[in-house]
């Protein structure tokens, strides 16, 4: 039998000043810290909805990010727009397997993993299931850590577009797809931030 | 636990604030709206999908090759496949919505690649940017899905102002698509296309005359080939025709309007004209229908080419249409069948003076020619140019020629022929050679040889025997002559003596004659002696001879 959680004892810690407050009247309204008047909240079960919303938005944005071109390259007058997957395929065909792999992982594997992971975390948190709590905690930390690495694509496009400006000889311009891709990354990060990892541990222990 | 703090937790305050609906759901909503709107935009902005067949996909790349109309990108090649039978390349093109009206049935598509031709360089920008597909928007109302791509850019686009005409040429010559059309040495148009006529007998050229100039094309307009350097070596000699440098390079067509063309009517678009070989031919009056004749020559016609002139009384009235070998089974020999086109209209006013008869044209011509043949009209292959051996066909009256049959019902009409002048000479030479050949030259030679041997022997004898003797004789003759000369010299004593002797003989003779005369008259003097009266006549001297000499010589 684990020691009780703060919520079990009707206590909430103020996030700002650290004062421990009694939270024995749930459902009345917003509780504020008796010392610093900061809003008091325990386990933010209410933000699951927000997390869901952001995840959904990220998913929606992921479609145009893949369908629409992310980059316009023009070399010696021969211009073409390419989507992420086209770029991956092109790199792969030209033999640059490393680059293709990196871009593929950063732009496909990572976002998809994040979608799945976040979805899994949210569902399990909503169900308050005690199923593999420790592994889910690891997953969450992983999502947080890995989150901004998905900005690799956006960075590549931004850097290349800024560097390659040779007028008629060569030119690279970002296309609208990369915006959506950036939005996917940011939205998943926000979704992960909205998710309160303590939800993992709420509910009955197994 | 810090002792300075109470052991009881603090009591939170309750702030009663109205609970708002979570705004966070706006985020996916906005994302969905934006994403949907972009997809909708992409879907709406995509125009029709068309396929274009090309011979080759050189320079084309799916997803990269744009389609441009007036240099504006209006679409993209989305896929390139082989046609089911593998003979062509099918490019699938996604047109933009703004260019949806480009898919007219008569729209034309071609690939712009760098092209270097005699007329210039085009598509040089595609060297770097890669090829693209260009569109010429058609005028038709119906839209099409499947198009046949042009292999070469069209020279005339649908928007151009002007009219196109069809020129019928014997051959293409050095004309190509894009070759210029000149009017008074100003380029006013170009050759848009060409194709072989259905029957393969001529080439149909489509020329496009640009707008302000097309009104100069009238019913009296004549077109001719102004291409390049025209060097022709024919029966009428060496000809060299050149136009401007541009036409030398790229070929060209020129046109002009006949001055005496009568009522000029502006030509309608698509009017058909004949493309003449040169300006002279173009501006000559039209020949009208040709009359075809067949000529059969029993001898070789080396040097007679198709197009060689046919002359009548020295006037060109037609040309050779065909020369081919034929076999006459009856005679068991090969003959040359020559087809000629005769333009009766070239005879001009002569035609009107010829007698008219009833019947159709062919019949009339046959009847007329039958009379002519009876009067000795014959076709003859004559040498027009001894240097090159080019022949031409001459129609002439040869009254001494043997009578010939003329079948008025034969089609085509067959005109009787005689051997050419050169051939006659050749035949004569041949007969001479034949006669020479018959001479027993060998035996003559042998005889001559033997005779010469005899002669040689004789000469040798002459030389060895006769000549020394002759020399000797001649020497003797010379000495004899020298002696004779000594004798006959006027200064020689013998000569003088002879002279004197002869004088004396003369005198003696005279004396004797006188004596005889006297005796005739006075025979009695023999008996009685000389009478007195006659004495002076006897004694009278007639020359300077001395009496003493007379007395001395008369015995
Ligand atoms: Zn506080």
């Amino acid at each position: 039998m684990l020691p009780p959680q703060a919520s079990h004892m009707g206590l909430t810690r103020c996030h700002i000043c650290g004062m421990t407050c009694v939270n024995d009247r749930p459902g009345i309204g917003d509780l504020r810290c008796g010392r610093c008047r900061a809003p008091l909240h325990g386990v933010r079960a209410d933000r699951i909805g927000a997390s869901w919303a952001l995840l959904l938005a990220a998913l929606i944005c992921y479609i145009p990010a893949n369908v629409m071109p992310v980059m316009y390259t023009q070399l010696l007058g021969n211009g073409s727009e390419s989507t992420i997957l086209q770029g991956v395929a092109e790199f792969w065909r030209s033999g640059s397997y490393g680059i293709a792999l990196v871009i593929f992982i950063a732009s496909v594997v990572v976002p998809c993993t994040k979608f799945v992971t976040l979805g899994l975390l949210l569902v399990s948190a909503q169900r308050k299931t005690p199923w593999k709590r420790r592994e889910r905690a690891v997953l969450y930390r992983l999502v947080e850590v890995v989150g901004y690495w998905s900005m690799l694509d956006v960075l590549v496009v931004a850097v290349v577009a800024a560097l390659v400006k040779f007028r008629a000889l060569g030119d690279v311009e970002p296309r609208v797809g990369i915006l959506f891709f950036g939005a996917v990354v940011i939205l998943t990060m926000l979704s992960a931030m909205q998710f309160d990892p303590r939800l993992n541990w709420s509910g009955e222990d197994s | 636990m810090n002792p300075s703090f109470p052991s009881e937790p603090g009591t939170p305050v309750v702030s009663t604030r109205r609970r708002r609906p979570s705004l966070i759901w706006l985020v996916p909503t906005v994302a969905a709206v934006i994403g949907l709107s972009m997809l909708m935009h992409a879907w709406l902005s995509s125009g029709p999908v068309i396929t274009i067949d090309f011979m080759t996909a050189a320079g084309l790349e799916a997803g990269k090759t744009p389609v441009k109309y007036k240099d504006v990108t209006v679409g993209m090649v989305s896929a390139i496949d082989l046609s089911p039978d593998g003979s062509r390349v099918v490019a699938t093109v996604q047109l933009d919505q703004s260019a949806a009206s480009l898919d007219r049935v008569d729209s034309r598509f071609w690939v712009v690649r760098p092209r270097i031709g005699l007329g210039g360089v085009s598509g040089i920008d595609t060297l770097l940017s890669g090829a693209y597909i260009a569109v010429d928007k058609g005028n038709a109302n119906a839209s099409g899905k499947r198009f046949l791509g042009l292999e070469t850019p069209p020279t005339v686009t649908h928007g151009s102002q002007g009219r196109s005409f069809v020129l019928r040429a014997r051959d293409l010559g050095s004309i190509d698509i894009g070759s210029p059309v000149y009017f008074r040495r100003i380029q006013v148009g170009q050759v848009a296309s060409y194709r072989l006529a259905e029957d393969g007998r001529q080439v149909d050229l489509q020329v496009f005359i640009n707008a302000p100039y097309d009104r100069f094309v009238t019913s009296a307009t004549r077109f001719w080939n102004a291409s390049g350097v025209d060097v022709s070596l024919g029966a009428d000699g060496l000809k060299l025709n050149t136009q401007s440098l541009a036409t030398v390079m790229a070929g060209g067509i020129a046109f002009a309007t006949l001055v005496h063309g009568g009522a000029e009517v502006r030509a309608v678009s698509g009017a058909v004209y004949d493309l003449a070989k040169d300006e002279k031919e173009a501006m000559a009056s039209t020949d009208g229908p040709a009359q075809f004749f067949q000529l059969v020559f029993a001898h070789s016609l080396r040097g007679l080419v198709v197009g060689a002139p046919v002359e009548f009384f020295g006037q060109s009235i037609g040309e050779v249409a065909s020369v081919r070998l034929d076999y006459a089974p009856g005679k068991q020999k090969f003959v040359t069948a020559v087809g000629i086109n005769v333009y009766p209209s070239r005879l001009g006013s002569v035609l009107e003076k010829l007698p008219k008869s009833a019947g159709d044209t062919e019949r009339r011509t046959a009847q007329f020619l039958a009379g002519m043949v009876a009067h000795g009209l014959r076709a003859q292959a004559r040498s027009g140019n001894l240097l090159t051996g080019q022949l031409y066909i001459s129609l002439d009256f040869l009254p001494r020629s043997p009578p010939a049959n003329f079948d008025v019902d034969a089609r085509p009409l067959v005109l009787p022929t005689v051997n050419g002048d050169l051939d006659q000479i050749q035949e004569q030479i041949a007969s001479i050679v034949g006669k020479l050949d018959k001479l027993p030259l060998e035996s003559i030679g042998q005889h001559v040889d033997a005779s010469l041997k005899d002669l040689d022997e004789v000469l040798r004898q002459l030389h060895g025997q006769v000549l020394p003797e002759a020399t000797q004789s001649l020497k003797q003759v010379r000495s004899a002559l020298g002696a004779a000369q000594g004798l006959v010299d006027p200064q020689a004593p013998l000569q003088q003596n002879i002279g004197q002797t002869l004088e004396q003989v003369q005198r003696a003779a005279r004396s004797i004659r006188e004596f005889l005369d006297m005796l005739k008259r006075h025979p009695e003097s023999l008996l009685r002696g000389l009478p007195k009266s006659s004495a002076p006549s006897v004694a009278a001297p007639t020359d300077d001879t001395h009496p003493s000499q007379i007395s001395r010589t008369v015995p």
Side-chain angles (χ1 to χ4, degrees):
Chain A
M1 189 66 189
L2 287 168
Q5 293 176 354
S7 56
H8 295 156
M9 301 171 71
L11 296 176
T12 307
R13 176 177 165 267
C14 171
H15 276 280
I16 308 301
C17 65
M19 193 177 87
T20 311
C21 297
V22 179
N23 184 12
D24 52 354
R25 287 165 293 176
I28 298 172
D30 285 353
L31 295 179
R32 288 184 181 261
C33 174
R35 184 165 60 172
C36 68
R37 296 291 189 268
L40 278 182
H41 34 73
V43 179
R44 296 298 302 269
D46 59 325
R47 292 216 297 211
I48 281 185
S51 188
W52 269 123
L54 290 168
L55 185 62
L56 193 67
L59 261 173
I60 290 170
C61 287
Y62 192 60
I63 297 167
N66 274 295
V67 169
M68 305 188 88
V70 294
M71 198 162 71
Y72 169 80
T73 49
Q74 180 228 325
L75 192 63
L76 293 173
N78 187 5
S80 67
E81 293 179 332
S82 51
T83 63
I84 292 172
L85 286 176
Q86 278 174 353
V88 170
E90 206 153 295
F91 275 121
W92 187 268
R93 266 204 302 270
S94 62
S96 309
Y97 301 118
I99 298 174
L101 217 61
V102 166
I103 296 179
F104 184 72
I105 288 172
S107 54
V108 179
V109 176
V110 171
C112 289
T113 315
K114 267 162 61 171
F115 293 141
V116 173
T117 310
L118 277 173
L120 187 79
L121 288 174
L122 285 169
V123 168
S124 56
Q126 270 179 329
R127 289 188 174 181
K128 302 186 171 165
T129 167
W131 172 73
K132 289 189 192 283
R133 286 197 157 127
R134 210 173 290 264
E135 287 82 356
R136 276 153 58 193
V138 172
L139 268 184
Y140 177 74
R141 286 200 291 278
L142 200 72
V143 165
E144 276 216 306
V145 168
V146 122
Y148 37 81
W149 284 107
S150 296
M151 274 302 196
L152 190 78
D153 283 17
V154 183
L155 268 173
V156 165
V157 172
V159 169
V160 171
L163 287 180
V164 183
K165 290 282 175 204
F166 302 125
R167 288 280 190 184
L169 283 179
D171 197 4
V172 174
E173 286 172 12
R175 282 291 183 259
V176 71
I178 203 70
L179 274 181
F180 284 96
F181 195 80
V184 168
V185 176
I186 291 167
L187 286 170
T188 48
M189 284 169 73
L190 286 174
S191 172
M193 277 168 68
Q194 289 296 313
F195 180 71
D196 191 339
R198 282 176 293 181
L199 283 169
N200 246 348
W201 305 97
S202 62
E204 297 297 317
D205 269 332
S206 55
Chain B
M1 187 170 287
N2 201 318
S4 60
F5 287 99
S7 59
E8 291 297 309
T11 313
V13 292
V14 179
S15 86
T16 50
R17 225 177 39 171
R18 202 163 44 84
R19 225 183 134 78
R20 289 167 299 178
S22 179
L23 288 176
I24 198 72
W25 287 99
L26 277 178
V27 176
T29 314
V30 169
V33 167
I34 292 176
L36 275 176
S37 69
M38 297 214 64
L39 287 176
M40 283 288 284
H41 179 256
W43 182 61
L44 285 177
S45 68
S46 68
V49 176
I50 57 168
T51 57
I52 310 169
D53 288 15
F54 288 109
M55 287 307 291
T56 166
L60 302 183
E61 211 171 334
K64 287 200 172 167
T65 306
V67 178
K68 292 187 179 181
Y69 178 60
K70 294 185 189 291
D71 259 2
V72 176
T73 302
V74 295
M76 184 70 73
V77 174
S78 56
I80 296 172
D81 307 291
L82 272 181
S83 64
D85 59 350
S87 64
R88 303 184 74 87
V89 172
V90 181
T92 309
V93 170
Q94 170 72 62
L95 288 176
D96 294 346
Q97 183 59 41
S98 62
S101 61
L102 287 179
D103 63 344
R104 302 295 97 182
V105 203
D106 56 345
S107 286
R108 291 177 291 177
F109 297 84
W110 67 98
V111 180
V112 178
R113 305 185 179 98
R115 280 172 214 279
I116 300 171
L118 286 173
V121 179
S122 69
I124 200 77
D125 51 332
T126 59
L127 266 182
L128 298 178
S129 66
Y132 63 87
I133 296 178
V135 195
D136 174 34
K137 187 185 171 186
N139 299 324
N141 287 323
S143 60
K145 283 281 167 213
R146 198 173 178 85
F147 296 90
L148 189 63
L150 307 178
E151 293 309 310
T152 51
T155 50
V156 182
T157 52
H158 275 100
S160 350
Q161 295 290 312
R163 278 177 298 169
S164 58
F165 303 98
V166 176
L167 302 185
R168 292 217 167 116
R170 227 164 299 161
D171 53 44
L172 189 60
S174 54
I175 296 170
D176 202 352
I177 290 174
S179 290
V181 178
Y182 291 97
F183 178 64
R184 300 193 187 282
R185 309 249 170 175
I186 300 171
Q187 187 181 345
V188 298
Q190 58 268 314
V191 176
S193 66
Y194 63 81
R195 63 182 182 85
L196 199 63
E198 290 293 330
D199 55 359
R201 288 176 179 275
Q202 65 199 20
V203 179
D204 287 352
L205 295 157
Q206 200 190 5
V207 296
F208 187 84
I209 311 294
N210 295 324
Y213 306 105
D214 59 341
R215 60 197 166 98
F216 298 118
V217 181
T218 67
S219 54
T221 295
R222 300 279 184 273
F223 289 84
W224 69 89
N225 189 340
S227 285
V229 185
D230 181 16
V231 183
S232 57
L233 186 62
D236 41 2
L238 179 75
K239 270 189 186 170
L240 178 74
N241 293 324
T242 57
Q243 286 282 326
S244 70
L245 194 62
T247 58
V248 170
M249 295 290 289
I253 289 172
F255 71 87
T257 302
L258 287 175
V259 182
H260 49 83
E264 289 184 25
V265 184
R266 269 185 69 175
V268 293
S269 187
V272 179
Y273 291 90
D274 283 327
L275 182 67
K277 201 166 53 184
D278 48 33
E279 184 175 2
K280 189 170 145 239
E281 189 186 302
M283 302 314 279
S285 59
T286 50
D287 285 332
Q291 178 76 46
F292 185 81
F293 295 109
Q294 182 93 30
L295 313 175
V296 177
F297 289 93
H299 55 97
S300 153
L301 285 179
R302 186 174 174 276
L304 186 73
V305 293
V306 172
V310 174
E311 295 191 353
F312 176 68
F313 258 64
Q315 298 290 316
S316 172
I317 59 160
E319 66 210 6
V320 172
S322 66
V323 179
R324 64 184 175 82
L325 194 65
D326 205 353
Y327 181 69
K331 298 175 185 169
Q332 290 208 338
K333 62 196 283 190
F334 287 98
V335 295
T336 312
V338 177
I340 59 169
N341 277 328
V342 171
Y343 301 100
S345 56
R346 287 197 192 175
L347 290 171
S349 56
V350 176
L351 273 185
E352 297 158 12
K353 296 176 185 169
L354 294 176
K356 301 269 192 299
S357 59
D360 63 340
T361 317
E362 288 234 315
R363 192 84 200 161
R364 274 209 309 264
T365 311
Q367 299 282 3
F368 173 64
L369 280 172
M372 293 286 126
V373 169
H375 278 91
L377 181 72
R378 298 288 185 274
Q380 196 177 26
R382 285 190 185 164
S383 173
N385 191 328
L386 282 174
L387 195 67
T388 60
Q390 298 287 335
L391 297 181
Y392 69 97
I393 299 295
S394 167
L395 300 178
D396 232 330
F397 289 98
L398 304 168
R400 283 182 297 157
S401 55
N405 292 325
F406 182 76
D407 186 1
V408 293
D409 296 322
R411 293 293 179 273
L413 289 169
V414 180
L415 284 178
T417 62
V418 292
N419 287 353
D421 48 359
L422 203 64
D423 300 287
Q424 285 176 341
I425 295 170
Q426 280 176 353
E427 276 183 7
Q428 286 167 3
I429 290 173
S431 75
I432 292 169
V433 170
K435 281 171 188 162
L436 275 177
D437 206 30
K438 284 176 194 152
L439 287 177
L441 280 176
E442 203 171 334
S443 65
I444 289 173
Q446 283 169 357
H447 288 152
V448 168
D449 199 34
S451 306
L452 282 174
K453 273 182 192 157
D454 293 349
L455 190 63
D456 197 39
E457 188 66 29
V458 170
L459 281 174
R460 196 176 297 124
Q461 284 178 3
L462 270 175
H463 195 67
Q465 303 169 9
V466 180
L467 220 57
E469 284 177 17
T471 312
Q472 207 175 345
S473 307
L474 280 173
K475 273 181 191 163
Q476 288 171 358
V477 167
R478 198 194 299 163
S479 65
L481 279 175
Q485 199 176 14
L487 287 175
V488 297
D489 192 348
Q491 304 302 323
L494 179 61
Q495 184 78 3
Q496 283 185 348
N497 288 344
I498 287 173
Q500 287 169 3
T501 310
L502 284 174
E503 267 178 31
Q504 286 169 5
V505 168
Q506 208 173 359
R507 281 195 203 117
R510 200 185 308 140
S511 303
I512 289 168
R513 194 170 62 230
E514 284 172 1
F515 174 64
L516 287 175
D517 283 345
M518 192 199 66
L519 274 183
K520 242 187 263 176
R521 276 175 278 143
H522 305 287
E524 71 277 9
S525 60
L526 285 173
L527 299 174
R528 291 179 189 169
L530 197 61
K532 293 288 187 208
S533 57
S534 61
S537 64
V538 174
T542 54
D543 51 57
D544 56 347
T545 51
H546 298 291
S548 59
Q549 281 176 338
I550 294 171
S551 61
R552 212 183 31 222
T553 53
V554 176

